[in-house]
Amino acid sequence: MKNDFILLEHLKVLQQKLLSTDVPNRPKYLNESSLQITNISGESKFKGKQFSPKYFLIHHTAGKGTPSQVVKILNCRHYKGSSKCTTLGIQWIIDRDGKLYQALPKGSKGAHVAHQKSGMGHINNSSAEGVEIIGLNDDDITIKQCKTALLLIKSLGYSLSNVFGHGEVSTNKQATEGKKCKTYATKYWDTPEDELPGGNDKEDEEDEDKKDNVTTTTTDISKSSTNDDDKDDNDDDDGDKTTPEKNGFLSFFEKLGGMLKKEEVSKIQEDVQRIKNLLK
């Protein structure tokens, strides 16, 4: 038991180093999930204040393209033929392969939601961060993208009750926007990461049975940038001053205490080696 306690203390030190050490070219991961982040926030022209979001919104781009193209369009939106640029911002982007991109500096307020429905005014740019998932519409979003969205949401510490599809919140959006990934999150909220559907296997899509066999025409993101639906998404909300009601970051060591009692020494040593490998 004494040896277990000493090992726990060593693991705490290693975990602190892992979280605090900024090693160049080392992939960045969110808490305990396997998500790897590509940071393209330097490409955004949006300047948001630091804030503490309470809610999380799931968007889709209504077009195909790359994360950098998404940011470029958000940097300069032309409404109703105006030559004036309106700059918008989103915290996260998920590409067609399910890869995650950070599109604004850490902790920055964005501009991605407006025209709230009755009773949804408290979900605004001052209280919510969000993710743009690249896809034509909700039917075009893949299970792999939804898996990344779920891992992101849980890694950030949100409760399921504070997660919304954009279509649930805004009147100027399709009611289904964000529905597929919200449904996925609801269904698999308590499922271990290694058991989540959303790998490379085609059967993941078939198991969900969400395809309506609707024929859609591919839309390039750049051609959808004149859509006025997002007008006012950069409103500086003076609404509710929210305080975070998150579950907090997932605690590796809360679970580790139980592991030390249940697992054999060999398993503990494997865990130690895994952390050491991450620090290399």
Side-chain angles (χ1 to χ4, degrees):
M1 191 66 182
K2 182 179 180 181
N3 290 336
D4 287 346
F5 178 78
I6 294 173
L7 179 58
L8 178 58
E9 292 303 310
H10 283 310
L11 285 173
K12 286 182 179 179
V13 172
L14 287 171
Q15 180 74 355
Q16 288 171 354
K17 285 184 177 181
L18 183 61
L19 293 175
S20 62
T21 304
D22 188 11
V23 180
N25 301 320
R26 187 177 72 186
K28 304 297 182 183
Y29 294 89
L30 287 177
N31 306 311
E32 299 311 314
S33 82
S34 62
L35 284 176
Q36 183 174 341
I37 309 168
T38 300
N39 191 335
I40 59 171
S41 61
E43 300 177 20
S44 176
K45 294 182 179 179
F46 185 80
K47 305 300 180 184
K49 300 177 181 178
Q50 291 290 296
F51 79 139
S52 297
K54 176 180 177 181
Y55 304 101
F56 193 93
L57 279 179
I58 302 171
H59 306 261
H60 63 62
T61 58
K64 297 288 186 68
T66 67
S68 288
Q69 288 174 326
V70 173
V71 173
K72 183 178 180 180
I73 289 168
L74 293 176
N75 283 339
C76 184
R77 297 295 299 266
H78 296 290
Y79 294 109
K80 295 183 178 179
S82 172
S83 60
K84 180 182 178 181
C85 280
T86 298
T87 304
L88 304 177
I90 190 74
Q91 286 84 5
W92 307 97
I93 299 171
I94 297 173
D95 72 6
R96 294 298 292 173
D97 294 324
K99 295 178 180 178
L100 178 64
Y101 294 76
Q102 180 182 333
L104 286 177
K106 185 178 180 180
S108 291
K109 173 182 171 182
H112 56 98
V113 59
H115 303 287
Q116 289 88 338
K117 297 178 180 179
S118 177
M120 288 291 185
H122 58 292
I123 303 176
N124 51 55
N125 291 316
S126 293
S127 66
E129 67 179 307
V131 60
E132 284 282 2
I133 303 178
I134 296 177
L136 297 174
N137 50 44
D138 206 61
D139 289 330
D140 190 43
I141 302 302
T142 69
I143 300 303
K144 193 170 187 178
Q145 290 174 306
C146 289
K147 177 181 178 180
T148 300
L150 172 58
L151 293 175
L152 169 64
I153 292 165
K154 295 195 72 173
S155 293
L156 292 171
Y158 289 96
S159 61
L160 181 59
S161 60
N162 284 357
V163 177
F164 296 86
H166 198 182
E168 294 181 86
V169 175
S170 297
T171 60
N172 64 328
K173 297 295 176 180
Q174 293 180 338
T176 56
E177 182 171 336
K179 182 179 179 180
K180 186 171 188 177
C181 288
K182 173 67 180 296
T183 301
Y184 178 98
T186 302
K187 183 175 182 179
Y188 296 109
W189 189 259
D190 295 319
T191 302
E193 180 179 343
D194 59 359
E195 296 178 17
L196 288 172
N200 294 320
D201 296 335
K202 186 177 179 180
E203 61 217 32
D204 285 337
E205 296 284 347
E206 296 172 348
D207 288 342
E208 290 302 307
D209 196 24
K210 297 293 184 181
K211 296 295 184 181
D212 294 328
N213 296 319
V214 177
T215 301
T216 57
T217 302
T218 300
T219 303
D220 187 271
I221 287 178
S222 61
K223 295 179 181 179
S224 65
S225 62
T226 56
N227 192 336
D228 285 341
D229 285 350
D230 290 328
K231 195 171 192 294
D232 300 330
D233 279 2
N234 63 334
D235 285 352
D236 190 7
D237 306 298
D238 294 324
D240 309 338
K241 299 298 181 182
T242 61
T243 56
E245 291 182 3
K246 302 180 181 180
N247 293 331
F249 290 118
L250 299 177
S251 175
F252 173 76
F253 293 108
E254 286 179 358
K255 298 178 181 178
L256 184 60
M259 288 172 59
L260 289 173
K261 296 178 182 178
K262 298 178 182 179
E263 301 292 336
E264 297 178 355
V265 174
S266 60
K267 181 64 175 68
I268 297 171
Q269 291 174 340
E270 290 175 6
D271 291 336
V272 174
Q273 188 61 47
R274 178 176 61 84
I275 296 176
K276 287 181 179 179
N277 290 338
L278 289 173
L279 288 171
K280 292 180 180 179

